[in-house]
């Protein structure tokens, strides 16, 4: 199966929007016929910026060949990351990978077409990230709880630089909740082609959870996406075991697909 147009022919809404955001951020997407190669040269340790997207779920007898093909494309990588372009397959369908040390995730893809009918009042200044200090605080927020700061910091700095470049280019915006000048919650929303806009990096400092900050930012970003980005469909992806899924449903998101991916560290 050949994809033809690498991004538009992808069936998975999650991967289609992932690929569009990566492309806007400077990543390369190359069609190999039965899979896509996604490469982010400016951030080589970003696992889901450097991966293969398979056109179909492989049969167990051929699964090992995809590890070899990944290694051939990314010989210096310290990971293996494979996405599956399916909309409803589950973890059991990639059991070979789980049996061989891979982490398997089957995330829920939620969508909405309407702005949330609510506007919560919170004790924070909810606004877009603009200044150098705002973006520096974004790095700090994303580093909270890191198990290996020296390894993760270069990756996160590169990631935040890409986020900032996307906003400067007018592709989207990052919103933050600031308490006494400190960033305690953030998320992004970016235009992702074909009338789609994708939420990114919904994150709250653990010390400031359950205060309504994420809800306020989700609502603000939804209005921005539908009105200013002219999106018809908003997309957000979440682990179904994450309690945040109930928050997303409470403001009008509904489950529509499953995103299936497997990954393993080689370190």
């Amino acid at each position: 199966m050949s994809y033809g147009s690498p991004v538009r022919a992808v069936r998975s809404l999650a991967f289609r929007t992932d690929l569009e955001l990566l492309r806007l951020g400077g990543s390369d997407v190359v069609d190999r016929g039965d899979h896509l190669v996604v490469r982010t040269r400016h951030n080589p340790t970003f696992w889901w910026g450097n991966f293969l997207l398979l056109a179909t779920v492989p049969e167990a007898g051929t699964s090992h060949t995809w590890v070899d093909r990944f290694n051939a494309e990314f010989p210096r990588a310290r990971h293996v990351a494979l996405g599956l372009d399916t909309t409803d397959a589950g973890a059991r369908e990639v059991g070979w990978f789980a049996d061989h040390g891979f982490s398997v995730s089957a995330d829920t893809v939620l969508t909405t077409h309407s702005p949330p009918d609510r506007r919560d009042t919170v004790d924070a200044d909810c606004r877009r990230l603009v200044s150098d200090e705002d973006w520096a605080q974004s790095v700090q927020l994303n580093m909270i709880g890191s198990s290996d700061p020296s390894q993760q910091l270069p990756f996160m700095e590169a990631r935040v630089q890409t986020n900032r470049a996307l906003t400067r280019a007018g592709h989207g915006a990052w919103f933050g909740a600031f308490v006494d000048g400190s960033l305690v919650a953030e998320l992004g929303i970016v235009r992702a082609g074909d009338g789609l806009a994708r939420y990114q990096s919904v994150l709250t400092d653990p010390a400031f959870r359950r205060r309504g900050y994420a809800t306020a930012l989700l609502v603000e970003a939804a209005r921005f996406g539908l009105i200013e980005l002219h999106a018809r469909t908003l997309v957000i992806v979440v682990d179904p075991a994450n309690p945040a899924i109930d928050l997303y449903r409470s403001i009008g998101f509904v489950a529509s697909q499953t995103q299936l991916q497997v990954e393993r560290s080689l370190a």
Side-chain angles (χ1 to χ4, degrees), residues 24-25 135 161-173 190-191 224 229:
L24 290 172
W135 289 103
Q161 287 175 6
T162 298
N163 297 343
R164 189 175 189 180
L166 288 171
T167 66
R168 282 175 166 169
H171 298 305
V190 182
R191 183 187 295 112
F224 175 86
L229 296 181

Side-chain angles (χ1 to χ4, degrees), residues 232-251:
R232 298 185 299 276
T233 302
L234 306 180
V235 180
I236 196 164
V237 181
V238 62
D239 181 339
N242 188 330
I245 196 169
D246 294 327
L247 167 59
Y248 303 150
R249 286 173 169 150
S250 75
I251 61 173

Side-chain angles (χ1 to χ4, degrees), residues 92-121:
R92 285 183 295 181
E93 296 181 61
V94 288
W96 181 92
F97 293 98
D99 292 341
H100 288 78
F102 282 79
S103 296
V104 177
S105 61
D107 291 338
T108 301
V109 183
L110 300 108
T111 57
T112 188
H113 308 285
S114 305
D117 186 22
R118 60 190 290 177
R119 185 182 290 277
D120 297 358
T121 300

Side-chain angles (χ1 to χ4, degrees), residues 56-225:
T56 59
V57 177
E59 297 180 2
T62 65
S63 295
H64 68 282
T65 66
W66 288 104
V67 179
D68 295 336
R69 294 171 82 170
F70 179 92
N71 291 333
E73 291 283 357
F74 300 97
R76 298 183 179 178
R78 303 307 302 158
H79 73 279
V80 177
L82 305 172
L84 296 306
D85 186 17
T86 178
T87 60
D88 57 5
R92 285 183 295 181
E93 296 181 61
V94 288
W96 181 92
F97 293 98
D99 292 341
H100 288 78
F102 282 79
S103 296
V104 177
S105 61
D107 291 338
T108 301
V109 183
L110 300 108
T111 57
T112 188
H113 308 285
S114 305
D117 186 22
R118 60 190 290 177
R119 185 182 290 277
D120 297 358
T121 300
V122 295
D123 58 344
D125 178 17
C126 295
R127 60 173 175 80
R128 297 188 201 181
L129 273 60
V130 178
S131 69
D132 291 345
E133 175 60 23
D134 291 347
W135 289 103
Q137 288 201 55
S138 178
V139 173
Q140 295 167 9
L141 178 61
N142 279 272
M143 289 297 295
I144 291 175
S146 172
S147 59
D148 192 347
S150 63
Q151 285 269 358
Q152 192 172 6
L153 183 58
F155 154 75
M156 191 54 64
E157 288 176 334
R159 189 81 188 276
V160 169
Q161 287 175 6
T162 298
N163 297 343
R164 189 175 189 180
L166 288 171
T167 66
R168 282 175 166 169
H171 298 305
W174 251 254
F175 295 85
F178 293 81
V179 175
D180 296 327
S182 296
L183 180 66
V184 299
E186 71 165 26
L187 58 78
I189 189 165
V190 182
R191 183 187 295 112
D194 294 331
L196 301 169
R198 171 73 180 270
Y199 279 93
Q200 294 283 285
S201 306
V202 183
L203 178 64
T204 303
D205 182 332
F208 289 86
R209 288 175 181 165
R210 305 186 69 82
R211 301 190 191 184
Y213 301 145
T215 303
L217 296 179
L218 285 161
V219 170
E220 188 69 21
R223 294 192 174 95
F224 175 86

